[in-house]
């Protein structure tokens, strides 16, 4: 365990990853832009509350400005920030990434090509993940997926199986199940499909995942969202991949059957929690749905593929972000009216 590892972004996801890696004995530095979080990590450390365990660990934490004098270099950087922050933070961390170092985007969305344009394609390893967590108090994270239901897939962008991607999978194995895939773009798009089916509509309502999923008509809308996202991904050349630790035979069948399997598996993992856009809206921040449902809408327009359901989710989310409407259960009626 001689690798120097940074977790850049100490929100709910980054903190959950960092805590398990510290506990496993890795050399971890946590870097974040939220001053109160960094100060909390410097003092009592990280407290992660999970369904199956509580983790309390001390961590080495740094403000962004600390790196200028910290004399650090990293072999691996796990980037755990919102998609709208990945470009500038990739530029920020680039000087502290070793020449043969690698950056792993532990994020939602299809960000790897953006990261590659900054860091270099040969220094990016792709990652798809399911890890549900939330943070509202500095230093304290409520992690909704325990180790058995947390899942990662990592892969080289060119699909090769390499020693470094196997090493990264072994490291992330301390956090949850981690598969190695030769189809990382397909795995990430399949996860994006699942997110458009759940995160997209649920994030408009402010409800817990179980309550949102049980609303009359939600299942049908979720399947329509998934069909649109699947059609756009297929036109882009992405092959769906068995995700969330499912076996290939469990992911066999028609595209609709696969969509429903992915959605139900995801909901089984995160039924206790609320989806990430809800956390953002509660904190007064804009969500990252432009990088999830918004990508489907944008690529659909470019390809001439209608995406009315994803378009509706994106527009209602934009209205919430602009403060024109509130995140509220009544937005489900707005969504149904539009689709």
């Amino acid at each position: 365990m001689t690798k120097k590892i940074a977790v850049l972004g100490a929100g709910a996801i980054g903190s959950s990853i960092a805590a398990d890696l510290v506990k496993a004995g890795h050399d971890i530095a946590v870097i974040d832009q939220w001053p109160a979080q960094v100060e909390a990590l410097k003092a009592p450390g990280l407290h992660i509350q999970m369904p199956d365990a509580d983790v309390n660990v001390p961590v080495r934490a740094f403000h962004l400005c600390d790196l200028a004098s910290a004399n650090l270099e990293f072999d691996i950087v796990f980037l755990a920030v919102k998609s709208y922050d990945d470009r500038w933070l990739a530029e920020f961390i680039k000087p502290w990434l070793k020449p043969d170092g690698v950056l792993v985007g532990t994020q939602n969305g299809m960000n790897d090509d953006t990261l590659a344009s900054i860091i270099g394609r040969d220094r990016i390893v792709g990652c798809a993940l399911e890890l549900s967590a939330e943070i509202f108090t500095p230093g304290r994270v409520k992690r909704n997926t325990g180790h058995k239901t947390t899942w990662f897939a990592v892969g080289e962008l060119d699909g090769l199986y390499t020693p470094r991607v196997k090493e990264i999978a072994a490291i992330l194995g301390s956090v949850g199940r981690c598969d190695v895939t030769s189809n990382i773009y397909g795995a990430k798009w399949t996860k994006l499909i699942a997110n458009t089916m759940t995160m997209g509509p649920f994030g408009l309502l402010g409800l817990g995942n179980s309550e949102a999923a049980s609303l009359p008509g939600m299942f049908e809308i979720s399947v329509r969202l998934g069909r649109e996202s699947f059609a756009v991904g297929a036109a882009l050349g992405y092959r769906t991949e068995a995700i969330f630790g499912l076996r290939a035979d469990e992911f066999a069948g028609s595209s609709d059957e696969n969509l429903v399997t992915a959605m139900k598996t995801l909901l089984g993992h995160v039924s206790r929690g609320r989806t990430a856009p809800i956390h953002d809206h509660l904190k007064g921040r804009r969500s990252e749905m432009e990088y999830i449902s918004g990508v489907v809408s944008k690529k659909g327009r470019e390809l001439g593929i209608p995406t009315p359901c994803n378009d509706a989710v994106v527009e209602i989310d934009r209205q919430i972000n602009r403060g024109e409407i509130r995140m509220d259960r009544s937005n489900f009626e707005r969504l149904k009216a539009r689709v």
Side-chain angles (χ1 to χ4, degrees), residues 65-81:
C65 59
D66 292 336
L67 256 63
S69 57
N71 194 29
L72 296 172
E73 280 191 314
F74 302 109
D75 299 287
I76 301 169
V77 173
F78 292 110
L79 181 65
V81 298

Side-chain angles (χ1 to χ4, degrees), residues 2 9 18 20-21 31 37 45 68-69 86 112 115 119 130 145 153 155 171 173 217 227-228 237 254 263 267 283 330:
T2 59
D20 278 341
L21 297 188
I31 308 160
Q37 174 73 341
S69 57
D86 66 347
D112 293 312
L115 297 174
I119 300 295
E130 179 46 47
T145 51
I171 291 169
R227 285 178 187 152
E228 293 176 4
S254 69
M263 182 179 72
L267 289 175
K283 295 171 183 176
S330 62

